[in-house]
Amino acid sequence: MLKIVTLNDATLAYYDAGQGPPMLFLHGFPLDHTMWRGQLDALADKFRVIAPDLRGFGRSSVTPGTVTMAQHAADCSALLFALGIGNAAVCALSMGGYVAWQLLRQRRWRVERLILCDTRAVADTPEGAAGRHKMADQVLREGSRVAAMLMLPKLFAERTARDQPAVIDQTRETMLANQPEGIAASQRGMAEREDARPLLATINKPTLLIVGQEDQISTVEEMTGMAAAIPGAELFVVPGAGHMAPLEAPAAVNAKIRAFMTS
């Protein structure tokens, strides 16, 4: 069952279960906390798992216009404060990774460990940023189905499409349930995000990178380079998975997360 908290100028819905070392799960775009369903129940036996719907997604309130990754990070820091948690392991996918970069910039002490799933450090090219603004405008005109139509073909491996159609259907329903204003606001915020590559060499937290072998968005090659740039980082490539590796191969991902968290 989701809980609700009011912080900053937003109302955030969040999942909170289990006991033990806290883990904060940050979802990708344009999804909500349910993309972590394969992790939350499985890891709650040893950890306190906290998964918010980021501002503009799921049951959290919508802020029209532009919501930056810095704003999402400030919300996450405020959520931890509201829950009486000093620091946590941060597990983030795609857009959630962009939020994690900002959390490291704003409140590095809040990050005890870092798990980066299928994400990028490089900022958008001018063409990429323009594409995000174009999608945001189209979503506002035509609805959330535009985001689902454009994003779904990029997210999953061929094996997932063949063997797990229900996973894709559930992801589509999550996208369709999100409000166009929330989708557009974070899309604009991603277009404005900073290049995080200069940050990589300064990360002094235990770090695990996870990437689907068939990820089309944050490729194995790109995440291998990121892992090499972060001191002491570990890389795990998930066979037969795409950009949504935690959702496509939860058993393999959970085993790796559990080993990392207890090492």
Side-chain angles (χ1 to χ4, degrees):
M1 182 176 179
L2 286 183
K3 301 176 181 180
I4 303 293
V5 64
T6 299
L7 44 84
N8 296 331
D9 60 342
T11 300
L12 254 60
Y14 65 98
Y15 180 93
D16 184 358
Q19 295 182 350
M23 298 185 68
L24 178 68
F25 290 83
L26 306 179
H27 65 76
F29 172 90
L31 304 168
D32 64 20
H33 82 280
T34 61
M35 65 143 286
W36 296 110
R37 58 185 174 270
Q39 284 66 54
L40 299 177
D41 290 342
L43 296 173
D45 63 334
K46 296 292 185 182
F47 307 99
R48 182 179 179 183
V49 292
I50 301 152
D53 289 341
L54 296 174
R55 179 189 296 242
F57 298 94
R59 292 181 56 191
S60 292
S61 61
V62 172
T63 301
T66 299
V67 174
T68 64
M69 301 302 100
Q71 179 63 70
H72 283 312
D75 290 345
C76 292
S77 180
L79 174 61
L80 292 177
F81 179 81
L83 297 178
I85 296 172
N87 57 13
V90 176
C91 182
L93 181 137
S94 197
M95 181 183 74
Y98 308 157
V99 177
W101 301 137
Q102 288 295 337
L103 195 55
L104 285 169
R105 289 186 174 103
Q106 295 175 10
R107 299 284 191 275
R108 182 172 295 213
W109 58 272
R110 286 224 180 266
V111 181
E112 182 178 9
R113 289 172 177 255
L114 189 59
I115 304 170
L116 297 165
C117 304
D118 301 280
T119 193
R120 310 186 73 193
V122 65
D124 282 344
T125 63
E127 294 78 15
R132 291 192 188 277
H133 285 288
K134 181 179 178 181
M135 181 199 279
D137 293 342
Q138 190 176 357
V139 166
L140 290 176
R141 289 195 310 269
E142 302 176 27
S144 303
R145 66 176 185 84
V146 171
M149 177 184 68
L150 294 174
M151 292 297 299
L152 276 171
K154 307 175 184 178
L155 296 184
F156 295 100
E158 290 184 9
R159 186 167 76 181
T160 305
R162 183 184 67 244
D163 298 341
Q164 302 185 73
V167 168
I168 296 176
D169 291 342
Q170 290 168 349
T171 303
R172 180 183 296 105
E173 291 304 312
T174 299
M175 294 179 179
L176 293 176
N178 283 322
Q179 297 186 46
E181 292 82 1
I183 293 173
S186 280
Q187 185 70 297
R188 294 193 184 103
M190 285 190 287
E192 296 180 4
R193 74 186 190 281
E194 302 172 61
D195 192 329
R197 287 176 296 180
L199 187 67
L200 300 181
T202 74
I203 295 175
N204 56 354
K205 311 290 183 176
T207 302
L208 170 66
L209 290 87
I210 297 174
V211 60
Q213 188 177 36
E214 299 178 30
D215 193 334
Q216 302 175 44
I217 299 173
S218 46
T219 64
V220 171
E221 180 182 8
E222 184 171 2
M223 291 202 69
T224 299
M226 288 167 54
I230 299 172
E234 180 181 0
L235 176 69
F236 177 53
V237 179
V238 186
H243 190 64
M244 299 296 296
L247 189 55
E248 296 174 83
V253 170
N254 293 350
K256 194 64 182 180
I257 290 175
R258 194 181 292 274
F260 173 73
M261 288 294 296
T262 56
S263 63

